[in-house]
Amino acid sequence: AGLGEFRIRDLNDEINKLLREKGHWEYRIKELGGPDYARIGPKMLDHEGKEVPGNRGYKYFGAAKDLPGVRELFEKEPLPPPRKTRAELMKDIDAEYYGYRDEDDGILEPLEQEHEKKVIAEAVEKWKTEREARLARGEEEEEENIYAVNDDESDEEGSKEREGEEGQQKFIAHVPVPTQKEIEEALVRRKKMELLQKYASETLLAQSEEAKTLLGL
């Protein structure tokens, strides 16, 4: 390490140059039919018995491993923290995670009530202002009761009246609902029409064939 950075780099370059020349001879020996020393040869180890580190075929020996910019090449990145499994993540999920306990702290509910009162007051004030403006223009009319029931309309439309409890508004359904007897009569009429169409058609065909025979056609 006391040789200095530049001398160390030169010596390391010289070693790598010799290693490349050695590799060329090993390849030539193999090409001539000799043993493959690159495969069966011993590994290059440092004085600590560890394999000599390298980058893209370039090896670093001795103090060259501690040169600036070289040490960072071989520093191992810290392992990422272990990822939790789905079961471990689900252990921390409860009602509070989904916001079901937001009102338990006693802070949110009063704020919501105050805001609700403010919105209702604004809506009522707006309605009063619009009503006063309509009255000033003479456009105000008596509001129609949309739930009122007219007996004549109930009879004409055949609606079925539904009575609630005593003292409550009565509602009617404006949809005629056939009774069981009416359904049975409709099915009988339909069956009669099908039978008449079937046998009437056969009778007409027989009469037509008889007429053709009499006329010699």
Side-chain angles (χ1 to χ4, degrees), residues 26-45:
E26 289 174 349
Y27 177 77
R28 180 58 177 164
I29 292 172
K30 179 182 176 182
E31 189 178 36
L32 295 174
D36 186 1
Y37 289 107
R39 185 174 62 84
I40 65 175
K43 296 182 179 180
M44 288 182 292
L45 305 177

Side-chain angles (χ1 to χ4, degrees), residues 174-205:
H174 298 279
V175 179
V177 180
T179 62
Q180 184 67 23
K181 183 178 180 180
E182 292 175 347
I183 295 174
E184 293 177 355
E185 291 177 353
L187 293 174
V188 172
R189 287 196 300 269
R190 181 178 177 182
K191 190 65 176 178
K192 286 182 178 179
M193 291 298 297
E194 292 178 355
L195 293 174
L196 287 174
Q197 291 177 0
K198 178 179 179 181
Y199 291 109
S201 299
E202 294 178 356
T203 303
L204 290 175
L205 289 175

Side-chain angles (χ1 to χ4, degrees), residues 115-165:
H115 181 71
E116 183 180 1
K117 293 179 180 178
K118 181 179 178 181
V119 172
I120 293 175
E122 292 177 353
V124 171
E125 188 65 26
K126 181 179 179 181
W127 175 80
K128 289 181 178 179
T129 304
E130 294 177 353
R131 184 171 181 271
E132 291 176 358
R134 288 196 299 270
L135 287 173
R137 295 194 300 267
E139 298 177 358
E140 183 68 18
E141 297 180 359
E142 185 179 356
E143 296 183 358
E144 181 182 358
N145 185 6
I146 62 174
Y147 298 107
V149 179
N150 191 339
D151 295 338
D152 297 336
E153 293 179 357
S154 176
D155 295 338
E156 291 176 359
E157 297 180 6
S159 58
K160 183 179 180 180
E161 183 175 0
R162 297 184 299 177
E163 298 182 356
E165 296 179 0

Side-chain angles (χ1 to χ4, degrees), residues 106-118:
I107 299 176
L108 183 62
E109 189 171 356
L111 294 176
E112 290 179 346
Q113 292 176 354
E114 182 179 355
H115 181 71
E116 183 180 1
K117 293 179 180 178
K118 181 179 178 181

